[in-house]
Amino acid sequence: MNSLSSGISTTLASIDRPLDLSVVVPLYNEVESLPRLIAAIEASLKNTDLRYEIVCVDDGSRDGTAALLKELAIEREDLSAVLLRRNYGQTPAMAAGFKIAQGRVIVTMDGDLQNDPADIPTLYAKLDEGYDLVSGWRKNRQDDALTRLLPSKIANGIISRVTGVKLNDYGCSLKAYRAEIVEDMNLYGELHRFLPALAFIEGAHIIEVPVNHHARQFGQSKYGLGRTFRVVMDLMTVFFMKKFLTKPMHVFGMFGFASMSLGMLLGIYLTIVKLFLDQDIGNRPLLTLAMLLFLGGLQLLSFGLISELLMRTYHESQGRPIYRIREVIGSGDRRSDIAES
Ligand code: UDP
Ligand code: MG
């Protein structure tokens, strides 16, 4: 694994963190899988020179996952456990893991043994080639064809189109990130699957690599078809974030202005008809249309202004810049760091 270790001193070294790799795993009722999972992660990483940790997040399990996890974390040096107070869902569980992860690279995966820890070094090596995010692609996905594969295929197509990030498999949890990409991200809803899209908005270089996938051996899936709806809603949020996050007035303002102008023109036309041609306009559908367009436009415009204020609060309250810098060359101390590595 020499290529990995020498790689660390090149592209991945500029981030100031104590470990090379954190494997973050959300767990909800996965007591049977847990010991096997830890063993498999260890087996996959012990032959590399990577300094790694496993961060398991128990998402309020009710089957003894938490107790077992606690026991293991006390026993093992390479394992940290985060026990959430109740079941929050996969996204918050992952966010909790991100919060305590100390690796320069963060790999996420499912805790049900459907993802294969043997793929982790491959993802890591890909990051080392200069990508910011490496996403797993379950080329041979082992799930039910009708309820999982078909909706997933459609969803991946739509998400790729809407977000502009073409991935075959958004739903695969096995992904590797540079830590600073994850640090930049605020997660809500079930946005973890959109992390590539969100990262892309922040300017990340993304690549997809095929990974193994196994059928679930223990326990059961936590999701049904209902997820599709939530994914669509989240997609709309992401679409908005992508397009208009820093310039809402451009979209609302444009439509608002167009609608108002059209309404106004119609209004002028109707006024002329009434005043100069002496015709009745009270029962003309055009009058209703003019009013609708004018008022609708006015609302859109005001909405744009309010969004503009909200957007400023969003960025300024977090000290969040409206741009992301990849690298700065030629300024003070950091310059020598970068030059050395
Ligand atoms: N998960 C979680 N909290 C939840 C639901 C799921 O932490 O509320 C975890 C679960 O334990 C697993 C991963 O998220 O490690 C993916 O869940 P699952 O395998 O049920 O999803 P699927 O593979 O069926 O899409
Ligand atoms: Mg699963």
Side-chain angles (χ1 to χ4, degrees):
M1 285 293 158
N2 253 342
S3 65
L4 283 188
S5 55
S6 60
I8 296 160
S9 57
T10 56
T11 59
L12 291 170
S14 51
I15 314 156
D16 191 19
R17 281 172 159 242
L19 297 172
D20 299 321
L21 172 64
S22 299
V23 183
V24 174
V25 191
L27 297 162
Y28 181 49
N29 297 341
E30 312 280 6
V31 70
E32 288 120 317
S33 306
L34 178 58
R36 293 171 176 84
L37 176 80
I38 307 275
I41 296 176
E42 185 182 17
S44 144
L45 293 175
K46 72 170 178 244
N47 295 327
T48 66
D49 320 337
L50 298 175
R51 283 170 301 146
Y52 71 94
E53 63 171 348
I54 307 171
V55 179
C56 284
V57 184
D58 171 64
D59 187 18
S61 301
R62 271 172 241 131
D63 67 344
T65 303
L68 177 63
L69 184 58
K70 204 168 162 181
E71 221 171 86
L72 289 171
I74 292 169
E75 246 168 54
R76 302 181 59 110
E77 283 230 329
D78 58 352
L79 177 65
S80 314
V82 182
L83 310 181
L84 298 183
R85 288 205 179 147
R86 65 166 171 85
N87 179 236
Y88 288 91
Q90 197 176 342
T91 300
M94 281 170 60
F98 292 158
K99 185 87 187 163
I100 75 150
Q102 294 185 296
R104 284 193 275 260
V105 166
I106 294 179
V107 166
T108 56
M109 63 187 297
D110 282 351
D112 55 1
L113 297 169
Q114 289 199 270
N115 295 134
D116 190 343
D119 288 316
I120 297 175
T122 319
L123 297 192
Y124 190 95
K126 209 71 196 169
L127 271 191
D128 224 7
E129 284 175 20
Y131 292 99
D132 300 305
L133 194 166
V134 182
S135 186
W137 170 16
R138 298 165 292 181
K139 244 181 162 166
N140 278 310
R141 191 170 164 191
Q142 306 295 324
D143 276 321
D144 188 69
L146 200 63
T147 60
R148 309 301 292 271
L149 301 194
L150 185 69
S152 156
K153 197 159 177 70
I154 298 169
N156 282 315
I158 299 176
I159 298 174
S160 291
R161 273 201 77 100
V162 172
T163 62
V165 189
K166 305 242 170 311
L167 294 185
N168 293 292
D169 190 3
Y170 267 90
C172 180
S173 300
L174 183 56
K175 294 190 174 93
Y177 309 85
R178 281 169 192 266
E180 71 264 35
I181 294 286
V182 170
E183 265 172 17
D184 268 354
M185 228 74 77
N186 294 330
L187 294 178
Y188 300 96
E190 286 182 15
L191 283 186
H192 66 271
R193 78 181 47 246
F194 294 108
L195 269 169
L198 295 172
F200 181 70
I201 297 171
E202 311 279 2
H205 291 165
I206 300 170
I207 193 165
E208 197 172 37
V209 298
V211 295
N212 295 320
H213 192 245
H214 307 293
R216 207 181 229 283
Q217 298 174 48
F218 308 101
Q220 45 191 313
S221 173
K222 312 311 182 282
Y223 301 102
L225 267 179
R227 169 159 72 185
T228 318
F229 175 73
R230 298 196 297 272
V231 167
V232 172
M233 292 297 123
D234 281 340
L235 178 64
M236 286 171 67
T237 312
V238 172
F239 178 69
F240 181 78
M241 304 270 285
K242 170 170 179 255
K243 274 266 184 295
F244 312 115
L245 185 59
T246 55
K247 43 180 194 305
M249 192 56 186
H250 287 200
V251 59
F252 291 114
M254 197 174 67
F255 285 116
F257 189 72
S259 172
M260 245 175 102
S261 313
L262 198 60
M264 204 124 77
L265 284 178
L266 289 179
I268 292 171
Y269 165 73
L270 287 172
T271 312
I272 293 171
V273 168
K274 170 79 190 164
L275 290 184
F276 298 107
L277 306 181
D278 211 18
Q279 291 175 10
D280 247 0
I281 58 165
N283 52 3
R284 291 186 65 165
L286 206 57
L287 182 63
T288 321
L289 183 67
M291 273 161 53
L292 255 176
L293 283 174
F294 187 81
L295 289 179
L298 192 65
Q299 278 192 330
L300 278 176
L301 264 180
S302 341
F303 198 74
L305 284 172
I306 292 175
S307 311
E308 207 49 50
L309 287 181
L310 283 177
M311 180 272 292
R312 271 149 224 243
T313 315
Y314 172 78
H315 280 98
E316 283 163 25
S317 62
Q318 308 178 56
R320 212 180 157 87
I322 55 170
Y323 52 82
R324 287 282 176 268
I325 296 176
R326 180 172 303 282
E327 208 175 328
V328 179
I329 297 132
S331 73
D333 287 338
R334 286 188 59 80
R335 173 175 46 173
S336 54
D337 277 10
I338 293 165
E340 270 165 27
S341 59

